[in-house]
Amino acid sequence: MRLLFFLLFASVCCSQAYEGLSYNDSNGGLNYRFFKPSGFEKNKEYPLIVFLHGIGQRGSDNKRQLVHGGDFFISDELQSKNPSFIVFPQCPIGAFWNYEGETKGSLFFVEKIIALIINKYPIDKQKIYIGGLSMGAWGTFSLVNRNPWLFSKAFAMCGGSPESFSKNLIYSKWRIDHGKKDRIVPYSFSEIISSAIRESGGEVELNLYEDVYHNVWDVVFSDPTFSDWLNKE
């Protein structure tokens, strides 16, 4: 009971730290949560981190997407060393992190949200990072493939990508994590795209975990080396 109360309290505190917003245009829209670093200065530039959730966090409540990683990205450990703007878009139920034609699809709206934030806030354009878990990892590869020079770093947890994307993925520094006991997305998917990125001339750190299932994000978010990787120039 105490654990449940703690988790509910932590979830409420986390959601309160992020502003609830929505992007809309004639083609549709997307809900998202937005965190601004405390006391940010308009004449100073800051990193922007965009995180794409998994299939279980789809919805319209504009809260569920914060379940995994929401507290991590605004933690003192990360923000004290490298204050950053954080974006958590929420994919609607029944949709996926993808593109549909030339003007629709959830990833088109993610692009619009990123552009809006870059234009409105003091973002360091050399430090725009993208990442995600499971469905969000697949979306991360797709988003970077369509915007090869936008993201300086990208990270993918328990996902995969067509090898054909690799030539457009080499302009970002990658960290890819996967559990070897994953029964939903085989870890070989991460091995394949990691090899393809390297063969195309890109930089990738691949971490495989012997006794970890699909929930590799639990390991990554508690691993100090992940914070170090994000903070590293």
Side-chain angles (χ1 to χ4, degrees):
M1 190 70 178
R2 289 181 178 178
L3 177 59
L4 177 60
F5 175 79
F6 173 79
L7 291 173
L8 288 172
F9 178 77
S11 176
V12 170
C13 291
C14 176
S15 64
Q16 288 178 343
Y18 290 85
E19 185 178 3
L21 298 169
S22 180
Y23 172 84
N24 293 280
D25 63 23
S26 59
N27 293 310
L30 204 67
N31 289 334
Y32 65 101
R33 285 279 177 162
F34 183 48
F35 174 83
K36 293 174 282 192
S38 178
F40 75 90
E41 303 172 23
K42 293 184 178 179
N43 60 348
K44 182 180 177 181
E45 293 185 333
Y46 300 84
L48 172 64
I49 301 174
V50 182
F51 189 78
L52 304 180
H53 62 75
I55 199 167
Q57 291 76 56
R58 294 181 299 180
S60 58
D61 65 347
N62 206 11
K63 294 180 180 179
R64 195 177 302 172
Q65 72 267 38
L66 296 173
V67 168
H68 302 303
D71 53 353
F72 169 80
F73 289 106
I74 62 173
S75 65
D76 289 340
E77 178 184 3
L78 198 66
Q79 290 291 330
S80 63
K81 295 179 181 178
N82 199 15
S84 305
F85 288 86
I86 313 293
V87 181
F88 270 74
Q90 185 178 38
C91 187
I93 291 175
F96 299 92
W97 291 126
N98 60 7
Y99 292 95
E100 298 174 13
E102 294 301 320
T103 59
K104 295 184 179 180
S106 57
L107 290 181
F108 273 115
F109 298 124
V110 173
E111 289 181 5
K112 297 289 188 179
I113 291 168
I114 292 172
L116 184 154
I117 292 171
I118 290 174
N119 289 331
K120 187 174 181 180
Y121 294 95
I123 304 300
D124 185 341
K125 295 181 179 61
Q126 304 304 314
K127 293 183 179 180
I128 300 176
Y129 310 151
I130 179 72
L133 63 87
S134 195
M135 179 184 78
W138 291 87
T140 294
F141 287 115
S142 294
L143 192 59
V144 177
N145 179 57
R146 289 284 292 254
N147 302 271
W149 296 282
L150 180 59
F151 305 101
S152 57
K153 289 185 180 181
F155 53 95
M157 308 175 200
C158 55
S161 169
E163 290 180 76
S164 60
F165 286 5
S166 62
K167 291 183 179 179
N168 281 344
L169 303 181
I170 63 173
Y171 305 101
S172 304
K173 293 181 180 179
W174 285 87
R175 171 164 169 155
I176 298 176
D177 295 85
H178 217 129
K180 283 193 171 184
K181 290 188 176 181
D182 192 332
R183 296 172 182 172
I184 298 175
V185 181
Y187 74 88
S188 59
F189 285 17
S190 284
E191 289 185 310
I192 290 169
I193 190 58
S194 294
S195 295
I197 293 172
R198 290 194 187 104
E199 290 172 5
S200 296
E203 179 182 332
V204 57
E205 174 187 331
L206 173 64
N207 300 299
L208 301 176
Y209 305 88
E210 292 291 339
D211 297 315
V212 177
Y213 293 86
H214 190 58
N215 63 322
V216 70
W217 55 85
D218 289 332
V219 177
V220 176
F221 288 139
S222 62
D223 182 357
T225 68
F226 182 57
S227 297
D228 293 341
W229 181 82
L230 285 171
N231 290 329
K232 188 177 179 181
E233 293 292 337

